[in-house]
Amino acid sequence: MKLYMRGGHGRWRDSVWAGVGGLLAVGLLTLLLVPLAVLVLGAGLGAGAIEQLGHPVVRDALWLSLWTTFVSLGLIVAGGLPLAWFLARARATRLVRVLETLVEMPIIVPPAVVGVALLLTFGRGGVFGGPLEQWFGVRLTFTSAAVVIAQVVVAAPFFVQSALAAFRRIDEELFVVARSLGASSSKIFFRIAVPLAMPGLVSGAALSWARALGEFGATLLFAGNLPGKTQTMTLAVYSGLEVSIELARTLSAILLLTGVVLLIALRVFLARAAAGRE
């Protein structure tokens, strides 16, 4: 009888915890999804939503965001691949661990802090900005190049970390066999490591591009908010609130739908890659 009562009490307690957990999960899900649904439906049903799509601010900001993020992604992949490969192949020394930590810093540092750091580095009186302007007449602040630099700094860690994890998951014996058969380091990298790590590389590239697309703080402080020159989509949303809520909502909906399309495409690619390995 005592065992039966204890078992009944345990089931009752499990039911309570399950109910509380369910309520918390539903509450969090509601908080995550309802505002996004309101944004998309509002932008779709608003009377001036279609007209806002042709607004010069929307057109210029969208074009600037697209070309700067793809340029920054190219730079990130070009530099991030060899960096991740080096970190993955290097011995786990204190120097390597410190380097990994430094690469991750832009993830945890507030974007505004990154913007101030870039300004002090590449600004007119900065460590590099001063000599660049004095010797070569190149000024980076408040230019489209500054937008790309800000995006690279804040988004690169996402690609490097994903590539690093993908490289480390590859079986070391594959590299040993390839070297025993006379494969050079470049062949091992391009013909073995990169193809096997491709799902992780694509995932990291997608996350990095999405982070660059959503960058705000560092871009605002380092590149400014100049329409047609440095005003990306996120900055246009900020400025659009001062002009029209419909304009800000349209810009926000475009960013949201872009993220949804990217996420779906990434999931499809990863699913097909996983199916291909089976």
Side-chain angles (χ1 to χ4, degrees), residues 73-87:
L73 180 60
L75 295 174
I76 289 169
V77 172
L81 268 179
L83 176 58
W85 178 245
F86 166 76
L87 293 175

Side-chain angles (χ1 to χ4, degrees), residues 10 92 194 247:
V194 171
L247 177 60

Side-chain angles (χ1 to χ4, degrees), residues 77-113:
V77 172
L81 268 179
L83 176 58
W85 178 245
F86 166 76
L87 293 175
R89 304 298 298 159
R91 291 187 300 172
T93 62
R94 180 176 300 179
L95 178 60
V96 171
R97 290 194 294 268
V98 170
L99 185 57
E100 285 188 37
T101 302
L102 293 177
V103 170
E104 296 172 354
M105 285 298 292
I107 296 178
I108 62 175
V109 173
V113 175

Side-chain angles (χ1 to χ4, degrees), residues 7-184:
H9 177 72
R11 287 193 295 271
W12 177 83
R13 185 173 56 186
D14 291 343
S15 299
V16 171
W17 279 115
V20 172
L23 289 176
L24 292 175
V26 170
L28 179 59
L29 193 62
T30 301
L31 184 61
L32 291 175
L33 298 182
V34 169
L36 301 181
V38 171
L39 173 64
V40 173
L41 294 177
L45 298 177
I50 302 300
E51 290 78 3
Q52 294 293 346
L53 291 176
H55 196 286
V57 172
V58 178
R59 184 178 63 250
D60 294 342
L62 180 60
W63 168 243
L64 180 68
S65 292
L66 288 177
W67 80 259
T68 55
T69 52
F70 280 111
V71 169
S72 65
L73 180 60
L75 295 174
I76 289 169
V77 172
L81 268 179
L83 176 58
W85 178 245
F86 166 76
L87 293 175
R89 304 298 298 159
R91 291 187 300 172
T93 62
R94 180 176 300 179
L95 178 60
V96 171
R97 290 194 294 268
V98 170
L99 185 57
E100 285 188 37
T101 302
L102 293 177
V103 170
E104 296 172 354
M105 285 298 292
I107 296 178
I108 62 175
V109 173
V113 175
V114 175
V116 172
L118 291 174
L119 199 59
L120 294 175
T121 304
F122 297 104
R124 299 190 64 177
V127 176
F128 295 143
L132 281 174
E133 185 171 1
Q134 182 178 358
W135 299 341
F136 304 103
V138 176
R139 182 172 62 88
L140 294 176
T141 52
F142 308 110
T143 64
S144 299
V147 176
V148 173
I149 293 174
Q151 291 172 349
V152 169
V153 172
V154 300
F158 292 89
F159 175 77
V160 174
Q161 289 302 310
S162 182
L164 178 59
F167 285 141
R168 283 177 173 169
R169 284 195 295 266
I170 300 175
D171 190 352
E172 178 67 24
E173 292 184 1
L174 295 175
F175 302 141
V176 175
V177 172
R179 282 193 294 267
S180 67
L181 294 175
S184 63

